[in-house]
Amino acid sequence: GSEDEDDEIEDIPHDKIKQKTAQRGAVSAEVYGVWNKKEDFKPRVIKKTDEQKKRITARLSQAFMFSALEDKDREVIINAFEEKRFKKGQYVIQQGQEGDELYVVESGTLKCLKKFPGDTEPRYLKTYQPGESFGELALLYNAPRAATIQAENDCLLYALDRGCFNNIVKEAAIKKRQRYDDFLQRVDILQSMDPYERSKIGDAVKTCLLYTSPSPRDRQKSRMPSSA
């Protein structure tokens, strides 16, 4: 997202990501440690109409970050989301800034820009569409925003705060993202890809079950009368 997924865009060196993930105990300490026990966490509740909850629920079903949530956790997240509107040309997040929210796009489009070392101008990376999310990298890895997100037109976004993300979403998201990233790194053509770009491919990966058609012999067996 402009600041969050751009965060993802953030050029976090891959060794840093691996180090952070390897220190999952340290990450967990932030979430479940003595000073921030999950059972003591009080998520924010922002009043919403049934129609707003319905729209957010539909968007969450499209977003990688929230696909592994249990129903009760999803309800907490829906209550914690805050609607935010941005005008055409307005920046949602900016590269290098600290990030404390992630965003899910309800309507409008936003462009993602990233300034790489040696560049004088930021490069266009992608356009975020309704149903996509951005900004979670800064929250996942406690890193600055990796990219800049700018509204291409008037946009309606749903924003989730760091506290709710850390306590409800973070652990499942880290495990799922790392599992896909470890797999994608073994694909030769993707090894030189920027971690942010590879994370976007990982987000799009879906698990598929493949079934083989029964052989003629098996079909013949299935037509034979049962002895029972």
Side-chain angles (χ1 to χ4, degrees):
S2 86
E3 73 178 347
D4 292 359
E5 277 206 356
D6 297 3
D7 289 347
E8 298 188 69
I9 299 175
E10 34 187 348
D11 218 18
I12 303 177
H14 195 62
D15 57 348
K16 180 177 179 182
I17 291 181
K18 289 196 115 177
Q19 176 187 358
K20 287 277 187 181
T21 312
Q23 297 172 344
R24 202 163 283 157
V27 172
S28 299
E30 178 187 342
V31 183
Y32 303 115
V34 174
W35 304 110
N36 191 17
K37 293 181 180 178
K38 186 173 182 181
E39 60 267 26
D40 294 337
F41 173 66
K42 296 293 187 291
R44 70 181 185 183
V45 176
I46 296 175
K47 190 174 181 180
K48 298 176 180 67
T49 64
D50 289 341
E51 179 59 30
Q52 286 174 312
K53 289 182 178 180
K54 191 174 180 180
R55 290 202 311 266
I56 295 174
T57 300
R59 289 307 182 196
L60 292 190
S61 68
Q62 300 172 274
F64 157 86
M65 277 289 109
F66 310 100
S67 59
L69 291 179
E70 297 179 5
D71 289 345
K72 60 182 177 62
D73 289 334
R74 187 175 290 107
E75 184 176 351
V76 171
I77 293 297
I78 290 170
N79 286 330
F81 266 108
E82 178 182 5
E83 285 195 0
K84 291 196 173 183
R85 296 180 183 274
F86 293 87
K87 297 290 186 182
K88 178 180 179 179
Q90 191 173 356
Y91 292 100
V92 181
I93 61 178
Q94 291 187 277
Q95 184 174 349
Q97 290 182 342
E98 293 301 313
D100 57 7
E101 290 180 317
L102 71 80
Y103 300 87
V104 177
V105 183
E106 168 59 30
S107 63
T109 58
L110 307 98
K111 61 183 176 183
C112 177
L113 307 168
K114 181 174 178 64
K115 193 171 183 179
F116 291 90
D119 285 352
T120 56
E121 297 293 331
R123 300 184 198 177
Y124 166 83
L125 294 185
K126 69 162 289 177
T127 296
Y128 283 101
Q129 306 283 349
E132 293 188 279
S133 61
F134 61 86
E136 72 270 15
L137 280 191
L139 306 186
L140 281 172
Y141 303 110
N142 295 314
R145 296 298 189 189
T148 293
I149 306 295
Q150 184 180 23
E152 293 186 315
N153 37 55
D154 290 354
C155 297
L156 172 60
L157 309 179
Y158 301 125
L160 185 66
D161 63 292
R162 176 186 289 274
C164 202
F165 177 82
N166 280 348
N167 283 275
I168 307 296
V169 185
K170 188 171 187 172
E171 286 297 295
I174 285 178
K175 290 174 184 175
K176 186 171 184 180
R177 185 180 291 278
Q178 187 62 40
R179 184 169 66 248
Y180 285 143
D181 193 60
D182 288 344
F183 167 75
L184 293 174
Q185 282 187 77
R186 296 198 292 270
V187 180
D188 290 344
I189 197 172
L190 303 180
Q191 287 179 353
S192 61
M193 186 173 285
D194 178 272
Y196 172 79
E197 297 173 303
R198 194 165 53 239
S199 76
K200 294 292 91 183
I201 294 177
D203 291 356
V205 170
K206 295 188 184 299
T207 302
C208 299
L209 294 177
L210 301 179
Y211 297 92
T212 56
S213 300
S215 67
R217 184 175 181 180
D218 288 338
R219 284 197 294 268
Q220 181 64 34
K221 283 183 179 180
S222 67
R223 287 195 291 267
M224 295 177 66
S226 171
S227 58

